[in-house]
Amino acid sequence: MASRSLAGAWFRDAGRFSWFPGHMAKATREIKERLKGVDMVLEIRDARIPFSSGNYLLEELFTNKKRMIALNKSDLANPRLCQSAEDAFARRNQLAYSVTAHNEDSVKNLLQGIHEWVRKECNKKDALVLMVVGVPNCGKSSLINAMHKAAKVMLIEDLGQTFKSNPAKIGPNPGVTRHMSSFRIGARPSMYVMDTPGVMVPRIADLETGLKLALTGAVKDSVVGEVQIAMYLLAMFNWHPDGLKIAAAQELRNLRKSVEKGGFQRRFAGPASKLAELMPRRTVPAEELGMVFDEVLDKLANRSAKGDKNDISESSRLIASQTLIRHYRQGKLGQFTWDRVGDCEVDDGIGAEADSHDCLQQDSGRVAQTQLYPRASKSV
């Protein structure tokens, strides 16, 4: 086997992983300064990693504040585990809602839940401020814009008048929101939402958590490397193959429906079907992961390479990795929840392990600490 790469060394040493640029440090200080004028906190988390996408530093700041958790991007998570995650938080006396920012009914349900929560917890106030926080790229600003749009209708019904305010900036990469801004979303009592920049912890001490954050886009891809993220995704598929098979089967059903309606049959299968075809037919043991998934990534690069199909360049592997990551984040490879939820909660270690179809059956850090990269890399 070739020598271990720098990526492999990074996986073995969690202490080297961090992403805390200057604007995040500034935002953390501003959040702390403005907390005195905040009545309640809405924390946005990624439904695919409902526990790993929490920020322990912010949680410490909000100890004396009433808090609700919104599990955003629930359309990309395992549907059966979204309710399990809500129940897990409920057992900790923490209210949580699953939501999808681009689903109007889902956003209205969250907004109604916020109004009921506010009336119950702060029924004596005529006006209050709800601070929205979360790690980068959890869909916070997109959700705020959706809430703002839905709230306009509710305010027209309640007050009979319209109002203007600028939408929050959104984008596919973390770190788009860098300044605080506020929006009105309710009346009786008047309710204002304060948007804040996404904030990561200064140091991600737990390796598995760091990789999950990178996979879901909370950390810039360049910090970890697209090839490393793609390899980690393949390793996760190895431990949880059923979701990929379900996504491939759904692609086939959708194709058949399209053909039945008079549509043209596509020449190639969809992303999930392609990947399911390339993945090993068995669960690969830890000691073989690096070699096997290196071959899978080479095959993906081969399909996207131009010219000599036998010459797999680093640029081809990078393009293949970027495509694989993009398809995953768009939900084209299936719906997955990477944190252990339901009957096998993380952090508190409550309960026994859940069914393998609903929960990753892996020891903490098992995938992350495996040597995934037998190929030598260029020195830095």
PDB file of all heavy atoms in Angstrom, residues 5-41:
ATOM      1  N   SER A   5      -1.430   9.573   3.037  1.00  0.00           N
ATOM      2  CA  SER A   5      -1.454  10.928   2.500  1.00  0.00           C
ATOM      3  C   SER A   5      -1.669  11.942   3.610  1.00  0.00           C
ATOM      4  O   SER A   5      -1.959  11.611   4.747  1.00  0.00           O
ATOM      5  CB  SER A   5      -2.581  11.056   1.474  1.00  0.00           C
ATOM      6  OG  SER A   5      -3.828  10.964   2.124  1.00  0.00           O
ATOM      7  N   LEU A   6      -1.533  13.204   3.257  1.00  0.00           N
ATOM      8  CA  LEU A   6      -1.798  14.258   4.233  1.00  0.00           C
ATOM      9  C   LEU A   6      -3.246  14.219   4.678  1.00  0.00           C
ATOM     10  O   LEU A   6      -3.565  14.527   5.814  1.00  0.00           O
ATOM     11  CB  LEU A   6      -1.470  15.624   3.618  1.00  0.00           C
ATOM     12  CG  LEU A   6       0.009  15.898   3.350  1.00  0.00           C
ATOM     13  CD1 LEU A   6       0.164  17.234   2.654  1.00  0.00           C
ATOM     14  CD2 LEU A   6       0.794  15.871   4.640  1.00  0.00           C
ATOM     15  N   ALA A   7      -4.147  13.854   3.759  1.00  0.00           N
ATOM     16  CA  ALA A   7      -5.561  13.742   4.122  1.00  0.00           C
ATOM     17  C   ALA A   7      -5.751  12.679   5.186  1.00  0.00           C
ATOM     18  O   ALA A   7      -6.504  12.855   6.144  1.00  0.00           O
ATOM     19  CB  ALA A   7      -6.399  13.408   2.892  1.00  0.00           C
ATOM     20  N   GLY A   8      -5.052  11.547   5.028  1.00  0.00           N
ATOM     21  CA  GLY A   8      -5.149  10.497   6.025  1.00  0.00           C
ATOM     22  C   GLY A   8      -4.651  10.978   7.369  1.00  0.00           C
ATOM     23  O   GLY A   8      -5.223  10.692   8.414  1.00  0.00           O
ATOM     24  N   ALA A   9      -3.556  11.749   7.347  1.00  0.00           N
ATOM     25  CA  ALA A   9      -3.022  12.287   8.590  1.00  0.00           C
ATOM     26  C   ALA A   9      -4.018  13.242   9.232  1.00  0.00           C
ATOM     27  O   ALA A   9      -4.170  13.283  10.450  1.00  0.00           O
ATOM     28  CB  ALA A   9      -1.703  13.014   8.315  1.00  0.00           C
ATOM     29  N   TRP A  10      -4.708  14.025   8.380  1.00  0.00           N
ATOM     30  CA  TRP A  10      -5.717  14.944   8.914  1.00  0.00           C
ATOM     31  C   TRP A  10      -6.829  14.182   9.607  1.00  0.00           C
ATOM     32  O   TRP A  10      -7.298  14.548  10.672  1.00  0.00           O
ATOM     33  CB  TRP A  10      -6.282  15.782   7.767  1.00  0.00           C
ATOM     34  CG  TRP A  10      -7.338  16.736   8.234  1.00  0.00           C
ATOM     35  CD1 TRP A  10      -7.159  17.978   8.742  1.00  0.00           C
ATOM     36  CD2 TRP A  10      -8.733  16.489   8.267  1.00  0.00           C
ATOM     37  NE1 TRP A  10      -8.349  18.528   9.085  1.00  0.00           N
ATOM     38  CE2 TRP A  10      -9.341  17.640   8.810  1.00  0.00           C
ATOM     39  CE3 TRP A  10      -9.549  15.420   7.909  1.00  0.00           C
ATOM     40  CZ2 TRP A  10     -10.709  17.748   8.975  1.00  0.00           C
ATOM     41  CZ3 TRP A  10     -10.913  15.536   8.081  1.00  0.00           C
ATOM     42  CH2 TRP A  10     -11.471  16.685   8.604  1.00  0.00           C
ATOM     43  N   PHE A  11      -7.275  13.052   9.000  1.00  0.00           N
ATOM     44  CA  PHE A  11      -8.342  12.268   9.597  1.00  0.00           C
ATOM     45  C   PHE A  11      -7.929  11.700  10.939  1.00  0.00           C
ATOM     46  O   PHE A  11      -8.737  11.523  11.827  1.00  0.00           O
ATOM     47  CB  PHE A  11      -8.748  11.118   8.662  1.00  0.00           C
ATOM     48  CG  PHE A  11      -9.789  11.516   7.671  1.00  0.00           C
ATOM     49  CD1 PHE A  11      -9.435  12.062   6.459  1.00  0.00           C
ATOM     50  CD2 PHE A  11     -11.134  11.361   7.957  1.00  0.00           C
ATOM     51  CE1 PHE A  11     -10.391  12.441   5.542  1.00  0.00           C
ATOM     52  CE2 PHE A  11     -12.096  11.731   7.048  1.00  0.00           C
ATOM     53  CZ  PHE A  11     -11.723  12.265   5.838  1.00  0.00           C
ATOM     54  N   ARG A  12      -6.665  11.409  11.102  1.00  0.00           N
ATOM     55  CA  ARG A  12      -6.229  10.795  12.346  1.00  0.00           C
ATOM     56  C   ARG A  12      -6.026  11.825  13.447  1.00  0.00           C
ATOM     57  O   ARG A  12      -5.956  11.490  14.611  1.00  0.00           O
ATOM     58  CB  ARG A  12      -4.912  10.037  12.129  1.00  0.00           C
ATOM     59  CG  ARG A  12      -5.022   8.837  11.217  1.00  0.00           C
ATOM     60  CD  ARG A  12      -3.783   7.975  11.354  1.00  0.00           C
ATOM     61  NE  ARG A  12      -2.564   8.735  11.124  1.00  0.00           N
ATOM     62  CZ  ARG A  12      -2.065   8.998   9.924  1.00  0.00           C
ATOM     63  NH1 ARG A  12      -2.702   8.598   8.842  1.00  0.00           N
ATOM     64  NH2 ARG A  12      -0.941   9.675   9.798  1.00  0.00           N
ATOM     65  N   ASP A  13      -5.884  13.087  13.083  1.00  0.00           N
ATOM     66  CA  ASP A  13      -5.584  14.125  14.072  1.00  0.00           C
ATOM     67  C   ASP A  13      -6.680  15.180  14.071  1.00  0.00           C
ATOM     68  O   ASP A  13      -6.638  16.129  13.315  1.00  0.00           O
ATOM     69  CB  ASP A  13      -4.231  14.762  13.752  1.00  0.00           C
ATOM     70  CG  ASP A  13      -3.789  15.720  14.859  1.00  0.00           C
ATOM     71  OD1 ASP A  13      -4.564  15.911  15.807  1.00  0.00           O
ATOM     72  OD2 ASP A  13      -2.670  16.252  14.765  1.00  0.00           O
ATOM     73  N   ALA A  14      -7.684  14.982  14.946  1.00  0.00           N
ATOM     74  CA  ALA A  14      -8.830  15.897  14.969  1.00  0.00           C
ATOM     75  C   ALA A  14      -8.415  17.302  15.381  1.00  0.00           C
ATOM     76  O   ALA A  14      -9.065  18.269  15.042  1.00  0.00           O
ATOM     77  CB  ALA A  14      -9.900  15.373  15.922  1.00  0.00           C
ATOM     78  N   GLY A  15      -7.323  17.410  16.143  1.00  0.00           N
ATOM     79  CA  GLY A  15      -6.911  18.710  16.643  1.00  0.00           C
ATOM     80  C   GLY A  15      -6.522  19.683  15.558  1.00  0.00           C
ATOM     81  O   GLY A  15      -6.454  20.882  15.789  1.00  0.00           O
ATOM     82  N   ARG A  16      -6.244  19.225  14.340  1.00  0.00           N
ATOM     83  CA  ARG A  16      -5.837  20.113  13.264  1.00  0.00           C
ATOM     84  C   ARG A  16      -7.016  20.728  12.534  1.00  0.00           C
ATOM     85  O   ARG A  16      -6.837  21.547  11.658  1.00  0.00           O
ATOM     86  CB  ARG A  16      -4.978  19.341  12.254  1.00  0.00           C
ATOM     87  CG  ARG A  16      -3.673  18.840  12.831  1.00  0.00           C
ATOM     88  CD  ARG A  16      -2.831  18.198  11.758  1.00  0.00           C
ATOM     89  NE  ARG A  16      -1.608  17.632  12.293  1.00  0.00           N
ATOM     90  CZ  ARG A  16      -0.684  17.034  11.558  1.00  0.00           C
ATOM     91  NH1 ARG A  16      -0.860  16.921  10.254  1.00  0.00           N
ATOM     92  NH2 ARG A  16       0.397  16.547  12.102  1.00  0.00           N
ATOM     93  N   PHE A  17      -8.224  20.300  12.866  1.00  0.00           N
ATOM     94  CA  PHE A  17      -9.405  20.760  12.127  1.00  0.00           C
ATOM     95  C   PHE A  17     -10.029  21.969  12.820  1.00  0.00           C
ATOM     96  O   PHE A  17     -10.405  21.901  13.983  1.00  0.00           O
ATOM     97  CB  PHE A  17     -10.442  19.644  12.042  1.00  0.00           C
ATOM     98  CG  PHE A  17     -11.688  20.060  11.308  1.00  0.00           C
ATOM     99  CD1 PHE A  17     -11.738  20.047   9.943  1.00  0.00           C
ATOM    100  CD2 PHE A  17     -12.792  20.484  12.013  1.00  0.00           C
ATOM    101  CE1 PHE A  17     -12.867  20.432   9.269  1.00  0.00           C
ATOM    102  CE2 PHE A  17     -13.942  20.883  11.354  1.00  0.00           C
ATOM    103  CZ  PHE A  17     -13.975  20.846   9.977  1.00  0.00           C
ATOM    104  N   SER A  18     -10.132  23.071  12.099  1.00  0.00           N
ATOM    105  CA  SER A  18     -10.820  24.249  12.620  1.00  0.00           C
ATOM    106  C   SER A  18     -11.152  25.184  11.472  1.00  0.00           C
ATOM    107  O   SER A  18     -10.460  25.202  10.450  1.00  0.00           O
ATOM    108  CB  SER A  18      -9.955  24.985  13.654  1.00  0.00           C
ATOM    109  OG  SER A  18      -8.796  25.511  13.054  1.00  0.00           O
ATOM    110  N   TRP A  19     -12.231  25.935  11.619  1.00  0.00           N
ATOM    111  CA  TRP A  19     -12.607  26.972  10.657  1.00  0.00           C
ATOM    112  C   TRP A  19     -13.370  28.042  11.411  1.00  0.00           C
ATOM    113  O   TRP A  19     -14.557  27.911  11.696  1.00  0.00           O
ATOM    114  CB  TRP A  19     -13.461  26.394   9.527  1.00  0.00           C
ATOM    115  CG  TRP A  19     -13.757  27.428   8.472  1.00  0.00           C
ATOM    116  CD1 TRP A  19     -12.851  28.169   7.770  1.00  0.00           C
ATOM    117  CD2 TRP A  19     -15.046  27.854   8.019  1.00  0.00           C
ATOM    118  NE1 TRP A  19     -13.492  29.020   6.900  1.00  0.00           N
ATOM    119  CE2 TRP A  19     -14.835  28.847   7.033  1.00  0.00           C
ATOM    120  CE3 TRP A  19     -16.344  27.484   8.346  1.00  0.00           C
ATOM    121  CZ2 TRP A  19     -15.883  29.486   6.377  1.00  0.00           C
ATOM    122  CZ3 TRP A  19     -17.392  28.111   7.693  1.00  0.00           C
ATOM    123  CH2 TRP A  19     -17.164  29.101   6.718  1.00  0.00           C
ATOM    124  N   PHE A  20     -12.667  29.089  11.797  1.00  0.00           N
ATOM    125  CA  PHE A  20     -13.244  30.150  12.607  1.00  0.00           C
ATOM    126  C   PHE A  20     -12.654  31.488  12.152  1.00  0.00           C
ATOM    127  O   PHE A  20     -11.832  32.083  12.846  1.00  0.00           O
ATOM    128  CB  PHE A  20     -12.923  29.896  14.088  1.00  0.00           C
ATOM    129  CG  PHE A  20     -13.760  30.712  15.044  1.00  0.00           C
ATOM    130  CD1 PHE A  20     -15.123  30.464  15.180  1.00  0.00           C
ATOM    131  CD2 PHE A  20     -13.188  31.714  15.806  1.00  0.00           C
ATOM    132  CE1 PHE A  20     -15.889  31.204  16.062  1.00  0.00           C
ATOM    133  CE2 PHE A  20     -13.952  32.466  16.696  1.00  0.00           C
ATOM    134  CZ  PHE A  20     -15.302  32.204  16.825  1.00  0.00           C
ATOM    135  N   PRO A  21     -13.064  31.959  10.947  1.00  0.00           N
ATOM    136  CA  PRO A  21     -12.537  33.227  10.419  1.00  0.00           C
ATOM    137  C   PRO A  21     -12.930  34.410  11.291  1.00  0.00           C
ATOM    138  O   PRO A  21     -13.800  34.313  12.157  1.00  0.00           O
ATOM    139  CB  PRO A  21     -13.162  33.315   9.029  1.00  0.00           C
ATOM    140  CG  PRO A  21     -14.355  32.427   9.072  1.00  0.00           C
ATOM    141  CD  PRO A  21     -14.033  31.332  10.031  1.00  0.00           C
ATOM    142  N   GLY A  22     -12.292  35.547  11.016  1.00  0.00           N
ATOM    143  CA  GLY A  22     -12.468  36.719  11.870  1.00  0.00           C
ATOM    144  C   GLY A  22     -13.896  37.192  12.010  1.00  0.00           C
ATOM    145  O   GLY A  22     -14.309  37.615  13.105  1.00  0.00           O
ATOM    146  N   HIS A  23     -14.700  37.115  10.930  1.00  0.00           N
ATOM    147  CA  HIS A  23     -16.068  37.622  11.038  1.00  0.00           C
ATOM    148  C   HIS A  23     -16.915  36.772  11.991  1.00  0.00           C
ATOM    149  O   HIS A  23     -17.892  37.254  12.564  1.00  0.00           O
ATOM    150  CB  HIS A  23     -16.727  37.699   9.655  1.00  0.00           C
ATOM    151  CG  HIS A  23     -17.119  36.386   9.073  1.00  0.00           C
ATOM    152  ND1 HIS A  23     -16.253  35.610   8.323  1.00  0.00           N
ATOM    153  CD2 HIS A  23     -18.289  35.688   9.124  1.00  0.00           C
ATOM    154  CE1 HIS A  23     -16.879  34.517   7.938  1.00  0.00           C
ATOM    155  NE2 HIS A  23     -18.104  34.534   8.399  1.00  0.00           N
ATOM    156  N   MET A  24     -16.532  35.488  12.174  1.00  0.00           N
ATOM    157  CA  MET A  24     -17.270  34.647  13.129  1.00  0.00           C
ATOM    158  C   MET A  24     -16.950  35.035  14.569  1.00  0.00           C
ATOM    159  O   MET A  24     -17.836  35.046  15.430  1.00  0.00           O
ATOM    160  CB  MET A  24     -16.943  33.170  12.898  1.00  0.00           C
ATOM    161  CG  MET A  24     -17.515  32.599  11.628  1.00  0.00           C
ATOM    162  SD  MET A  24     -17.319  30.812  11.571  1.00  0.00           S
ATOM    163  CE  MET A  24     -17.878  30.487   9.899  1.00  0.00           C
ATOM    164  N   ALA A  25     -15.687  35.350  14.824  1.00  0.00           N
ATOM    165  CA  ALA A  25     -15.307  35.794  16.168  1.00  0.00           C
ATOM    166  C   ALA A  25     -16.025  37.097  16.508  1.00  0.00           C
ATOM    167  O   ALA A  25     -16.531  37.283  17.625  1.00  0.00           O
ATOM    168  CB  ALA A  25     -13.792  35.977  16.239  1.00  0.00           C
ATOM    169  N   LYS A  26     -16.089  38.004  15.520  1.00  0.00           N
ATOM    170  CA  LYS A  26     -16.795  39.263  15.720  1.00  0.00           C
ATOM    171  C   LYS A  26     -18.278  39.030  15.946  1.00  0.00           C
ATOM    172  O   LYS A  26     -18.897  39.643  16.837  1.00  0.00           O
ATOM    173  CB  LYS A  26     -16.589  40.162  14.503  1.00  0.00           C
ATOM    174  CG  LYS A  26     -17.293  41.500  14.597  1.00  0.00           C
ATOM    175  CD  LYS A  26     -17.075  42.319  13.338  1.00  0.00           C
ATOM    176  CE  LYS A  26     -17.839  43.646  13.408  1.00  0.00           C
ATOM    177  NZ  LYS A  26     -17.671  44.435  12.154  1.00  0.00           N
ATOM    178  N   ALA A  27     -18.877  38.126  15.162  1.00  0.00           N
ATOM    179  CA  ALA A  27     -20.307  37.835  15.301  1.00  0.00           C
ATOM    180  C   ALA A  27     -20.621  37.237  16.666  1.00  0.00           C
ATOM    181  O   ALA A  27     -21.652  37.557  17.276  1.00  0.00           O
ATOM    182  CB  ALA A  27     -20.754  36.877  14.199  1.00  0.00           C
ATOM    183  N   THR A  28     -19.739  36.379  17.166  1.00  0.00           N
ATOM    184  CA  THR A  28     -19.952  35.777  18.486  1.00  0.00           C
ATOM    185  C   THR A  28     -19.978  36.852  19.567  1.00  0.00           C
ATOM    186  O   THR A  28     -20.809  36.818  20.481  1.00  0.00           O
ATOM    187  CB  THR A  28     -18.843  34.757  18.791  1.00  0.00           C
ATOM    188  OG1 THR A  28     -18.832  33.755  17.764  1.00  0.00           O
ATOM    189  CG2 THR A  28     -19.087  34.079  20.129  1.00  0.00           C
ATOM    190  N   ARG A  29     -19.077  37.816  19.461  1.00  0.00           N
ATOM    191  CA  ARG A  29     -19.051  38.915  20.441  1.00  0.00           C
ATOM    192  C   ARG A  29     -20.322  39.754  20.343  1.00  0.00           C
ATOM    193  O   ARG A  29     -20.897  40.146  21.372  1.00  0.00           O
ATOM    194  CB  ARG A  29     -17.817  39.794  20.207  1.00  0.00           C
ATOM    195  CG  ARG A  29     -16.489  39.107  20.519  1.00  0.00           C
ATOM    196  CD  ARG A  29     -15.348  40.119  20.549  1.00  0.00           C
ATOM    197  NE  ARG A  29     -15.161  40.779  19.264  1.00  0.00           N
ATOM    198  CZ  ARG A  29     -14.345  40.352  18.318  1.00  0.00           C
ATOM    199  NH1 ARG A  29     -13.645  39.237  18.505  1.00  0.00           N
ATOM    200  NH2 ARG A  29     -14.219  41.003  17.172  1.00  0.00           N
ATOM    201  N   GLU A  30     -20.776  40.024  19.114  1.00  0.00           N
ATOM    202  CA  GLU A  30     -21.984  40.840  18.935  1.00  0.00           C
ATOM    203  C   GLU A  30     -23.221  40.117  19.460  1.00  0.00           C
ATOM    204  O   GLU A  30     -24.113  40.744  20.040  1.00  0.00           O
ATOM    205  CB  GLU A  30     -22.151  41.186  17.453  1.00  0.00           C
ATOM    206  CG  GLU A  30     -21.116  42.164  16.932  1.00  0.00           C
ATOM    207  CD  GLU A  30     -21.336  42.513  15.480  1.00  0.00           C
ATOM    208  OE1 GLU A  30     -22.206  41.869  14.836  1.00  0.00           O
ATOM    209  OE2 GLU A  30     -20.665  43.422  14.964  1.00  0.00           O
ATOM    210  N   ILE A  31     -23.282  38.815  19.227  1.00  0.00           N
ATOM    211  CA  ILE A  31     -24.411  38.036  19.742  1.00  0.00           C
ATOM    212  C   ILE A  31     -24.467  38.130  21.262  1.00  0.00           C
ATOM    213  O   ILE A  31     -25.537  38.332  21.852  1.00  0.00           O
ATOM    214  CB  ILE A  31     -24.293  36.560  19.299  1.00  0.00           C
ATOM    215  CG1 ILE A  31     -24.561  36.446  17.797  1.00  0.00           C
ATOM    216  CG2 ILE A  31     -25.249  35.669  20.086  1.00  0.00           C
ATOM    217  CD1 ILE A  31     -24.305  35.065  17.227  1.00  0.00           C
ATOM    218  N   LYS A  32     -23.319  37.996  21.888  1.00  0.00           N
ATOM    219  CA  LYS A  32     -23.250  38.078  23.353  1.00  0.00           C
ATOM    220  C   LYS A  32     -23.678  39.449  23.847  1.00  0.00           C
ATOM    221  O   LYS A  32     -24.400  39.571  24.850  1.00  0.00           O
ATOM    222  CB  LYS A  32     -21.824  37.762  23.804  1.00  0.00           C
ATOM    223  CG  LYS A  32     -21.663  37.659  25.310  1.00  0.00           C
ATOM    224  CD  LYS A  32     -20.253  37.241  25.674  1.00  0.00           C
ATOM    225  CE  LYS A  32     -20.104  37.102  27.189  1.00  0.00           C
ATOM    226  NZ  LYS A  32     -18.723  36.673  27.564  1.00  0.00           N
ATOM    227  N   GLU A  33     -23.262  40.510  23.132  1.00  0.00           N
ATOM    228  CA  GLU A  33     -23.601  41.874  23.537  1.00  0.00           C
ATOM    229  C   GLU A  33     -25.092  42.163  23.386  1.00  0.00           C
ATOM    230  O   GLU A  33     -25.669  42.898  24.191  1.00  0.00           O
ATOM    231  CB  GLU A  33     -22.795  42.875  22.701  1.00  0.00           C
ATOM    232  CG  GLU A  33     -21.293  42.851  22.993  1.00  0.00           C
ATOM    233  CD  GLU A  33     -20.501  43.693  22.010  1.00  0.00           C
ATOM    234  OE1 GLU A  33     -21.136  44.254  21.075  1.00  0.00           O
ATOM    235  OE2 GLU A  33     -19.265  43.776  22.147  1.00  0.00           O
ATOM    236  N   ARG A  34     -25.722  41.581  22.372  1.00  0.00           N
ATOM    237  CA  ARG A  34     -27.125  41.891  22.095  1.00  0.00           C
ATOM    238  C   ARG A  34     -28.111  40.969  22.813  1.00  0.00           C
ATOM    239  O   ARG A  34     -29.321  41.161  22.703  1.00  0.00           O
ATOM    240  CB  ARG A  34     -27.384  41.827  20.588  1.00  0.00           C
ATOM    241  CG  ARG A  34     -26.569  42.824  19.794  1.00  0.00           C
ATOM    242  CD  ARG A  34     -27.157  43.069  18.440  1.00  0.00           C
ATOM    243  NE  ARG A  34     -26.369  43.993  17.647  1.00  0.00           N
ATOM    244  CZ  ARG A  34     -26.766  44.532  16.515  1.00  0.00           C
ATOM    245  NH1 ARG A  34     -27.968  44.246  16.042  1.00  0.00           N
ATOM    246  NH2 ARG A  34     -25.998  45.369  15.849  1.00  0.00           N
ATOM    247  N   LEU A  35     -27.613  39.999  23.515  1.00  0.00           N
ATOM    248  CA  LEU A  35     -28.500  39.052  24.181  1.00  0.00           C
ATOM    249  C   LEU A  35     -29.415  39.710  25.211  1.00  0.00           C
ATOM    250  O   LEU A  35     -30.515  39.217  25.460  1.00  0.00           O
ATOM    251  CB  LEU A  35     -27.678  37.953  24.855  1.00  0.00           C
ATOM    252  CG  LEU A  35     -27.410  36.695  24.028  1.00  0.00           C
ATOM    253  CD1 LEU A  35     -26.579  35.705  24.819  1.00  0.00           C
ATOM    254  CD2 LEU A  35     -28.712  36.060  23.587  1.00  0.00           C
ATOM    255  N   LYS A  36     -28.964  40.813  25.800  1.00  0.00           N
ATOM    256  CA  LYS A  36     -29.777  41.474  26.825  1.00  0.00           C
ATOM    257  C   LYS A  36     -31.112  41.947  26.259  1.00  0.00           C
ATOM    258  O   LYS A  36     -32.112  41.994  26.988  1.00  0.00           O
ATOM    259  CB  LYS A  36     -29.009  42.662  27.417  1.00  0.00           C
ATOM    260  CG  LYS A  36     -27.785  42.254  28.230  1.00  0.00           C
ATOM    261  CD  LYS A  36     -27.095  43.482  28.815  1.00  0.00           C
ATOM    262  CE  LYS A  36     -25.864  43.076  29.636  1.00  0.00           C
ATOM    263  NZ  LYS A  36     -25.166  44.266  30.197  1.00  0.00           N
ATOM    264  N   GLY A  37     -31.121  42.315  24.984  1.00  0.00           N
ATOM    265  CA  GLY A  37     -32.358  42.788  24.363  1.00  0.00           C
ATOM    266  C   GLY A  37     -33.138  41.709  23.657  1.00  0.00           C
ATOM    267  O   GLY A  37     -34.109  42.003  22.947  1.00  0.00           O
ATOM    268  N   VAL A  38     -32.752  40.452  23.835  1.00  0.00           N
ATOM    269  CA  VAL A  38     -33.408  39.322  23.173  1.00  0.00           C
ATOM    270  C   VAL A  38     -34.287  38.578  24.164  1.00  0.00           C
ATOM    271  O   VAL A  38     -33.882  38.301  25.295  1.00  0.00           O
ATOM    272  CB  VAL A  38     -32.353  38.360  22.576  1.00  0.00           C
ATOM    273  CG1 VAL A  38     -33.007  37.092  22.057  1.00  0.00           C
ATOM    274  CG2 VAL A  38     -31.588  39.062  21.459  1.00  0.00           C
ATOM    275  N   ASP A  39     -35.512  38.265  23.735  1.00  0.00           N
ATOM    276  CA  ASP A  39     -36.438  37.549  24.610  1.00  0.00           C
ATOM    277  C   ASP A  39     -36.344  36.035  24.446  1.00  0.00           C
ATOM    278  O   ASP A  39     -36.439  35.288  25.418  1.00  0.00           O
ATOM    279  CB  ASP A  39     -37.876  38.001  24.316  1.00  0.00           C
ATOM    280  CG  ASP A  39     -38.066  39.489  24.554  1.00  0.00           C
ATOM    281  OD1 ASP A  39     -38.155  39.884  25.727  1.00  0.00           O
ATOM    282  OD2 ASP A  39     -38.091  40.245  23.570  1.00  0.00           O
ATOM    283  N   MET A  40     -36.175  35.578  23.202  1.00  0.00           N
ATOM    284  CA  MET A  40     -36.156  34.146  22.920  1.00  0.00           C
ATOM    285  C   MET A  40     -35.161  33.862  21.802  1.00  0.00           C
ATOM    286  O   MET A  40     -34.780  34.749  21.053  1.00  0.00           O
ATOM    287  CB  MET A  40     -37.558  33.659  22.526  1.00  0.00           C
ATOM    288  CG  MET A  40     -38.662  34.138  23.449  1.00  0.00           C
ATOM    289  SD  MET A  40     -40.301  33.563  22.991  1.00  0.00           S
ATOM    290  CE  MET A  40     -40.386  32.036  23.868  1.00  0.00           C
ATOM    291  N   VAL A  41     -34.772  32.595  21.695  1.00  0.00           N
ATOM    292  CA  VAL A  41     -33.783  32.188  20.696  1.00  0.00           C
ATOM    293  C   VAL A  41     -34.350  31.061  19.838  1.00  0.00           C
ATOM    294  O   VAL A  41     -34.913  30.093  20.363  1.00  0.00           O
ATOM    295  CB  VAL A  41     -32.475  31.722  21.371  1.00  0.00           C
ATOM    296  CG1 VAL A  41     -31.499  31.182  20.327  1.00  0.00           C
ATOM    297  CG2 VAL A  41     -31.838  32.869  22.152  1.00  0.00           C
TER     298      VAL A  41
END
